[in-house]
Amino acid sequence: MAELNLVPIGRLTGGFRSEVMSARTPDGQEVVVKAPPTITEAVAEAGALNLWRNTGAAVPVLHFDDQQGVLVLERLRPGLPLVLRVINSFTVWDDGVCHQLCSR
């Protein structure tokens, strides 16, 4: 993970089993560094998130270290409407679905 040159910001609370920290990339993007308790769980979580990556329904995995079992995730903030997340990752949605979501 050292090759990513992340600058730690602080520990995030609210998790149950994983160690979760906020950090900043060299270009200033806030990210979340998550270390599930086992590598097996980390591999399963990274796989599940990657399956959903283009739907707007899951946080994007920016980096996964399968040797250490650590995920670097996009930092999401409460209050960002789902419609904006869907539009920002608009790859599997067709125009009809986007039109329906945007017109609500």
Side-chain angles (χ1 to χ4, degrees):
M1 297 298 295
E3 71 275 6
L4 297 178
N5 296 318
L6 298 177
V7 176
I9 296 172
R11 186 171 189 201
L12 296 174
T13 61
F16 179 67
R17 295 182 41 149
S18 300
E19 289 294 324
V20 185
M21 302 284 292
S22 63
R24 193 173 308 282
T25 64
D27 66 355
Q29 178 186 10
E30 270 193 75
V31 296
V32 171
V33 179
K34 183 175 183 181
T38 68
I39 291 177
T40 301
E41 290 176 70
V43 168
E45 184 170 346
L49 290 171
N50 278 321
L51 282 174
W52 286 87
R53 72 177 170 263
N54 293 324
T55 66
V59 63
V61 177
L62 304 175
H63 179 79
F64 176 57
D65 183 328
D66 62 349
Q67 299 299 306
Q68 294 183 21
V70 175
L71 298 94
V72 178
L73 309 169
E74 180 181 318
R75 175 78 191 257
L76 301 181
R77 296 286 184 176
L80 181 62
L82 177 60
V83 172
L84 293 179
R85 294 282 307 144
V86 170
I87 291 171
N88 288 338
S89 59
F90 189 90
T91 53
V92 297
W93 301 90
D94 64 25
D95 289 336
V97 173
C98 182
H99 180 71
Q100 288 175 355
L101 287 171
C102 294
S103 63
R104 290 185 182 183

